[in-house]
């Protein structure tokens, strides 16, 4: 039984998500469908890449990850299938794969599956579905496309390092309203060198120590820690940090390390 995960911006209000799942089941009735998320903000490939990047390594080898973000037909956009670290990915070559992987993927093909005119405005339930089920059944990449050497590149906003300061930004806010920044644990440790620090955000909010878990401070108190994503996270124990602290996507945070 093959596994296909779904990461889309289709939401749950309309019929689009159901149409996608129905199309997959029609071609592969015994497939194991797993929703990663359908709540990606419309066309937000960086948001989708962050979620999928932190989820896919937990799945078994040969899992197929179908990505339905900004996939509407365009003359300038290719549809591709990718093999990377024993996982398969199917999506539009709109830059999301360059955000999803830290290194170049092993194999990439541009899909040459014929588009059914019935689904001209919804290639997600036609081309993507055919490619994903083919791979989930054990099919080969070369049977559904031609090799390509390059993928579309997009650049994430990276932290800025100034001597003893890291300037980062908020890149994700989860369901619990925890605020996740683009400052990784590796970068933090490299610059920190076992020194004390102060984390600044908003105009006057500060945190001066790392926590290991959310319950390390009193309920309602703010904290920072490295969560499952290994990115610096600002949270409130049993509270909603983004709302209570007034933090939003793109907001700047600053870490200063002391001598």
């Amino acid at each position: 039984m093959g596994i296909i995960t779904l990461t889309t911006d289709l939401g749950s209000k309309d019929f689009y998500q159901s149409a996608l799942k129905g199309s997959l089941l029609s071609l592969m009735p015994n497939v194991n469908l797993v929703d990663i998320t359908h709540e990606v903000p419309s066309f937000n490939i960086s948001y989708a890449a962050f979620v999928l990047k932190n989820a896919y390594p937990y799945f078994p080898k040969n899992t197929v990850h179908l990505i339905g973000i900004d996939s509407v037909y365009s003359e300038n956009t290719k549809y591709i299938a990718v093999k990377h670290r024993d996982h398969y990915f199917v999506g539009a070559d709109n830059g999301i794969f360059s955000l999803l992987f830290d290194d170049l993927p092993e194999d990439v093909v541009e899909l040459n599956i014929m588009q059914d005119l019935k689904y001209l405005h919804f290639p997600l339930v036609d081309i993507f579905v055919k490619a994903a089920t083919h791979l989930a059944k054990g099919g080969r990449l070369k049977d559904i496309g031609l090799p390509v050497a390059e993928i579309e590149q997009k650049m994430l906003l990276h932290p800025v390092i100034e001597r003893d300061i890291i300037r980062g930004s908020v890149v994700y806010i989860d369901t619990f309203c925890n605020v996740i920044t683009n400052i990784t644990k590796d970068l933090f440790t490299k610059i920190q060198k076992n020194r004390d620090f102060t984390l600044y955000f908003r105009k006057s909010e500060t945190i001066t120590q790392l926590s290991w878990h959310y319950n390390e401070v009193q309920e309602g108190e703010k904290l920072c820690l490295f969560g499952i994503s290994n990115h610096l996270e600002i949270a409130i124990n049993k509270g909603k940090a983004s709302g209570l602290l007034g933090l939003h996507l793109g907001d700047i945070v600053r870490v200063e390390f002391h001598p």
Side-chain angles (χ1 to χ4, degrees), residues 97-244:
F97 294 101
S98 65
L99 305 179
L100 184 57
F101 308 133
D102 293 325
D103 47 4
L104 292 175
E106 301 157 23
D107 295 296
V108 183
V109 299
E110 180 177 357
L111 298 175
N112 56 12
I113 297 171
M114 291 296 294
Q115 170 80 60
D116 187 331
L117 293 178
K118 177 182 178 182
Y119 303 107
L120 183 60
H121 300 293
F122 204 178
L124 187 58
V125 303
D126 184 27
I127 297 175
F128 288 22
V129 163
K130 291 173 183 174
T133 53
H134 168 82
L135 295 169
K137 293 174 181 177
R140 300 176 301 180
L141 279 175
K142 67 179 184 179
D143 293 333
I144 55 174
L146 299 176
V148 294
E150 297 181 348
I151 57 175
E152 180 73 19
Q153 296 293 316
K154 295 288 185 182
M155 293 296 294
L156 285 173
L157 183 64
H158 293 289
V160 176
I161 303 170
E162 302 174 0
R163 287 194 176 185
D164 299 323
I165 299 175
I166 302 176
R167 299 181 188 275
S169 60
V170 177
V171 295
Y172 189 79
I173 297 173
D174 69 16
T175 302
F176 300 97
C177 293
N178 299 319
V179 177
I180 301 173
T181 75
N182 61 351
I183 301 174
T184 65
K185 185 176 182 179
D186 286 345
L187 176 62
F188 186 96
T189 302
K190 178 181 177 181
I191 305 301
Q192 182 187 24
K193 299 176 182 176
N194 294 318
R195 294 178 293 173
D196 293 334
F197 73 92
T198 302
L199 169 62
Y200 296 91
F201 53 97
R202 300 293 293 166
K203 288 187 177 181
S204 58
E205 295 284 354
T206 61
I207 300 175
T208 57
Q209 66 180 40
L210 285 170
S211 296
W212 287 99
H213 51 78
Y214 299 102
N215 293 325
E216 196 169 316
V217 301
Q218 296 292 320
E219 288 190 16
E221 293 294 321
K222 63 181 181 290
L223 67 140
C224 68
L225 78 169
F226 288 99
I228 192 173
S229 70
N230 274 330
H231 285 66
L232 185 63
E233 181 177 323
I234 299 169
I236 291 177
N237 184 14
K238 302 289 178 64
K240 298 182 177 181
S242 63
L244 293 173

Side-chain angles (χ1 to χ4, degrees), residues 52-67:
L52 184 53
K53 183 175 184 177
N54 284 285
Y56 90 79
Y58 293 92
F59 284 84
K61 291 181 179 181
N62 296 317
T63 295
V64 181
H65 306 280
L66 190 156
I67 308 170

